[in-house]
Amino acid sequence: MDERFYYIEMQCYWQGKVNSTHISQQFSISRTQGQKYLANYQALHPNNLKYDTAKKGFIPRSSFVPKYISGQVSEYLNWLDNAQVYPVKRSQTLTTNTSLSPPERQVSPTVIRSLVQAIQNKQRIEVDYVSLSNPNQEGRIIQPHVFVRTGLRWHLRAYDESRSQFRDFVLSRFRGQPEILGKASHTAASDKAWNTNINLVLIPDSRFSPAQKQVIEGEYNMQNGQLTITTRAALAHYLLQEMQVNLKFHDEYPEAQQLVLANKQQIKQWLFNA
């Protein structure tokens, strides 16, 4: 039962609404069963949800207190990243694997919930933003369409009205209270870099010996000495960063980078400052 209640809270608190259809689709059950789970949740936690006739679903009350979710942004983003599945409870005694736990970047839940609403309803939103080039808060009117996880951080892909182009915004750099402004005029369909697929052709660093190249080729299952990866143009630079492919210069030691982008000139227009 906790699995269903976890989903009810996650969907309602972050996505802004939950109804029996959401539950039936998530767990492959009937809408009647979904209604029962909602009724059971309501009976246990009457101050958390209220029915909104306009939205045709339950929305969080101002008195909402999470009972099954943490309410932390990182939990929601991980939920999105894992195809919106209930987190598996793992034994704490497992010794066959472990993972790194990098520090979480501070992201405002208020900002995230507003951005989710703007994405879902294809709306414009005004929000303050800081960057290294402009550390003072600057109001931005953006039209967001997707959250993207790139290695250790998340960003938002959105149309920036002040610069008349689609850009990437680091989630932890949003500030203040966002304001929804109205219908968006630029959606994912008009984001050329997002909808363009390109090939990254990677080869072992030329300074390796033939035997060393064979090691790299075997590790990546290269064909004819190269690895070809197809990706969205908007994500190409991030993928190269994750694979530690340096686009500006070769490291003094080939072991430090191992891979080289062989078709840089052909895809240069999609890379950042390359």
Side-chain angles (χ1 to χ4, degrees):
M1 180 66 75
D2 285 358
E3 180 179 357
R4 270 69 170 182
F5 287 174
Y6 178 94
Y7 176 79
I8 287 172
E9 287 196 351
M10 189 68 77
Q11 178 70 31
C12 183
Y13 183 73
W14 290 110
Q15 303 283 91
K17 181 185 75 173
V18 65
N19 56 32
S20 57
T21 299
H22 290 137
I23 299 171
S24 65
Q25 291 176 348
Q26 176 72 12
F27 298 104
S28 299
I29 59 177
S30 68
R31 286 188 60 190
T32 300
Q33 287 177 300
Q35 290 170 347
K36 289 181 179 178
Y37 289 128
L38 279 168
N40 290 338
Y41 181 91
Q42 282 285 82
L44 289 171
H45 313 291
N47 296 321
N48 270 6
L49 310 182
K50 65 178 179 180
Y51 190 79
D52 187 303
T53 55
K55 293 187 176 182
K56 297 181 180 179
F58 288 90
I59 64 175
R61 294 179 180 272
S62 58
S63 58
F64 180 93
V65 176
K67 302 294 183 181
Y68 303 91
I69 64 175
S70 69
Q72 296 178 351
V73 171
S74 59
E75 179 187 41
Y76 170 66
L77 294 175
N78 287 332
W79 183 68
L80 287 182
D81 197 37
N82 288 283
Q84 299 187 350
V85 296
Y86 183 71
V88 177
K89 294 182 178 179
R90 303 178 186 273
S91 169
Q92 297 300 312
T93 60
L94 288 177
T95 58
T96 56
N97 65 282
T98 188
S99 60
L100 297 175
S101 298
E104 295 179 0
R105 302 194 182 211
Q106 183 63 38
V107 184
S108 165
T110 300
V111 168
I112 292 299
R113 293 173 70 187
S114 297
L115 292 175
V116 169
Q117 179 183 337
I119 292 173
Q120 287 181 330
N121 299 318
K122 294 181 172 59
Q123 294 172 311
R124 301 165 65 230
I125 187 170
E126 183 172 8
V127 61
D128 289 339
Y129 189 76
V130 297
S131 64
L132 296 180
S133 59
N134 187 3
N136 298 315
Q137 289 189 198
E138 176 187 8
R140 299 283 189 94
I141 298 178
I142 60 176
Q143 303 179 27
H145 71 79
V146 67
F147 292 116
V148 179
R149 183 173 189 171
T150 57
L152 297 178
R153 71 183 186 184
W154 284 81
H155 73 246
L156 177 76
R157 185 76 178 167
Y159 183 80
D160 184 350
E161 293 189 14
S162 64
R163 290 163 177 76
S164 299
Q165 62 182 223
F166 281 94
R167 299 173 66 92
D168 300 330
F169 296 88
V170 180
L171 291 186
S172 55
R173 294 179 180 174
F174 284 112
R175 300 287 187 270
Q177 177 69 46
E179 180 183 356
I180 299 294
L181 299 179
K183 206 66 178 175
S185 56
H186 292 78
T187 63
S190 57
D191 187 347
K192 184 177 180 180
W194 184 257
N195 293 294
T196 299
N197 286 332
I198 62 173
N199 289 329
L200 305 178
V201 180
L202 302 172
I203 59 175
D205 191 299
S206 61
R207 294 171 292 174
F208 280 130
S209 69
Q212 288 175 315
K213 289 180 181 179
Q214 287 183 356
V215 172
I216 301 299
E217 290 169 7
E219 184 175 4
Y220 289 99
N221 192 28
M222 291 184 177
Q223 304 298 316
N224 300 317
Q226 65 182 37
L227 172 66
T228 300
I229 303 175
T230 301
T231 181
R232 294 182 187 273
L235 303 180
H237 198 97
Y238 301 111
L239 180 55
L240 291 170
Q241 285 179 331
E242 279 300 292
M243 299 189 73
Q244 299 182 357
V245 177
N246 198 319
L247 297 175
K248 290 187 177 298
F249 57 86
H250 284 186
D251 195 277
E252 181 180 358
Y253 303 101
E255 291 84 359
Q257 61 185 45
Q258 301 185 13
L259 297 173
V260 175
L261 181 64
N263 65 330
K264 178 179 175 180
Q265 293 305 316
Q266 290 92 325
I267 64 171
K268 189 174 183 179
Q269 62 173 311
W270 305 111
L271 304 176
F272 307 152
N273 303 318

